[in-house]
Amino acid sequence: MLYRAAQHYLASCEKTSVWLGELCAFRALTPAGYVKSFLERHHAVVLETLLQRRRAVRFYGRMMEENSREHLDTDNEAGGEDALVGNVNKLMVTPPGYTGPPKKGHIIFDACFESGNLGRVDYISEFEFDLFIRPDTCNPRFRVWFNFTVENVRETQRVIFNIVNFSKTKSLYRDGMSPVVKSTSRPKWQRLPAKNVYYYRCPDHRRNYVMSFAFCFDREDDVYQFAYCYPYTYSRLQHYLASLERRNLDYLQREQLGLSVQQRRLDLLTITNPVCDGNLFSYYMESSLHS
């Protein structure tokens, strides 16, 4: 509404400018005394109109520029595909302006592996980082899954990771669920303590929902991995289905239903009694995951 009002106002100012231009052209064809008399009578109106137009152009120009920047920032925070085109790859995050050699505590982030997802990392302080996750393939509205590793940590280093561009307003993180973590010396996934996980609206990110979790590193040589929940990769699924197929089970039939957008196999599994009298109930199940 304000934008349309600005357009109407600027249009009226443009008309005034045209009127003044016509006046200047008229002056060339009119005796100087008449023009002087006209300007003396309407000097205040003309001057005020020009000043209003100049102020309006400056004000609404700034407003439109800020509006454009706001939309750009929103798109970037939303994790649009144009903003986050790939996962971070061994990205060392250092304080702004730092040019010295890498130190312990300058965390290295990586998500270039199967099921990994982390598109951007912003350094907030030595103890805090804003993380941006990439959206689903062909659907930038959904941003849920994250899975990444960190290394080059310092023993007893405490950090807060903020996932700042979640697309969901409702999440199990609000009801006690927490991310999972493992490390090279402790390869079994464990959930973080729920008391260290916070899901909230953040005024610093246009009141989007943010999930923050605190963590303390205890071993410098370990590589730590954090994920939304227990990862189950496509390769692992294919290996499992292939092992079932090799067993030649009478009650299991595996078929290729089609291919995904990224040319990955979509399997159809039929589990039934091979001796069927035609009076069996049929159940259909499908699954999907935002990744």
Side-chain angles (χ1 to χ4, degrees):
M1 183 66 71
L2 184 59
Y3 178 76
R4 287 199 296 270
Q7 286 184 318
H8 289 312
Y9 184 80
L10 289 176
S12 66
C13 290
E14 290 294 341
K15 291 178 182 178
T16 304
S17 180
V18 171
W19 172 72
L20 290 173
E22 291 176 351
L23 174 62
C24 293
F26 176 72
R27 183 174 59 181
L29 303 175
T30 309
Y34 179 83
V35 174
K36 180 179 179 181
S37 174
F38 178 88
L39 291 177
E40 286 176 351
R41 291 197 308 271
H42 300 283
H43 174 76
V45 176
V46 173
L47 182 61
E48 180 63 24
T49 301
L50 289 175
L51 290 176
Q52 285 182 359
R53 180 178 184 273
R54 186 175 298 174
R55 285 195 295 265
V57 168
R58 282 203 300 260
F59 173 76
Y60 289 113
R62 286 196 304 269
M63 185 183 70
M64 293 174 191
E65 182 180 351
E66 291 174 0
N67 189 51
S68 299
R69 282 201 303 266
E70 180 177 326
H71 283 299
L72 179 61
D73 292 342
T74 301
D75 290 342
N76 288 342
E77 286 198 0
E81 289 181 326
D82 293 337
L84 304 175
V85 295
N87 282 321
V88 296
N89 183 9
K90 297 296 183 182
L91 173 67
M92 177 177 289
V93 181
T94 58
Y98 181 81
T99 57
K103 297 180 180 179
K104 278 291 185 181
H106 290 169
I107 298 179
I108 298 175
F109 293 83
D110 184 47
C112 279
F113 52 86
E114 187 176 12
S115 80
N117 186 16
L118 181 63
R120 175 178 142 198
V121 181
D122 285 357
Y123 179 96
I124 304 302
S125 72
E126 181 183 358
F127 311 101
E128 186 175 6
F129 302 85
D130 282 355
L131 312 181
F132 295 76
I133 54 180
R134 296 166 57 236
D136 283 7
T137 302
C138 300
N139 197 340
R141 294 189 301 112
F142 292 106
R143 300 174 306 279
V144 177
W145 176 259
F146 64 86
N147 187 5
F148 61 93
T149 65
V150 298
E151 56 186 293
N152 196 44
V153 300
R154 189 177 64 250
E155 188 174 350
T156 71
Q157 182 178 1
R158 300 175 184 272
V159 295
I160 296 176
F161 292 140
N162 307 309
I163 311 292
V164 301
N165 63 335
F166 269 119
S167 61
K168 294 180 67 175
T169 57
K170 296 181 180 179
S171 172
L172 290 176
Y173 285 134
R174 302 173 67 178
D175 298 314
M177 177 176 156
S178 61
V180 294
V181 60
K182 69 176 183 177
S183 68
T184 47
S185 64
R186 288 154 293 188
K188 184 178 180 180
W189 287 107
Q190 299 180 32
R191 288 203 178 273
L192 296 175
K195 64 180 181 180
N196 293 345
V197 181
Y198 310 90
Y199 196 79
Y200 57 98
R201 281 188 181 273
C202 181
D204 293 336
H205 295 282
R206 309 187 189 284
R207 294 191 59 76
N208 290 332
Y209 277 92
V210 172
M211 192 274 289
S212 299
F213 61 93
F215 191 80
C216 180
F217 301 107
D218 57 355
R219 298 182 184 179
E220 291 189 352
D221 296 330
D222 270 14
V223 176
Y224 294 80
Q225 184 172 352
F226 300 92
Y228 177 87
C229 61
Y230 304 106
Y232 191 85
T233 64
Y234 173 81
S235 296
R236 183 178 175 185
L237 171 64
Q238 291 301 308
H239 285 309
Y240 177 67
L241 294 180
S243 67
L244 292 179
E245 198 171 24
R246 286 193 297 268
R247 294 169 63 182
N248 295 319
L249 301 172
D250 292 339
Y251 53 83
L252 175 65
Q253 182 181 2
R254 180 189 183 192
E255 302 172 78
Q256 180 174 314
L257 188 62
L259 296 175
S260 70
V261 174
Q262 296 180 331
Q263 301 303 303
R264 293 188 173 92
R265 177 186 174 110
L266 301 176
D267 286 290
L268 173 64
L269 300 180
T270 303
I271 303 173
T272 187
N273 187 344
V275 181
C276 178
D277 58 4
N279 295 321
L280 296 178
F281 288 101
S282 297
Y283 298 92
Y284 172 73
M285 294 182 294
E286 65 176 354
S287 63
S288 63
L289 177 65
H290 303 294
S291 59

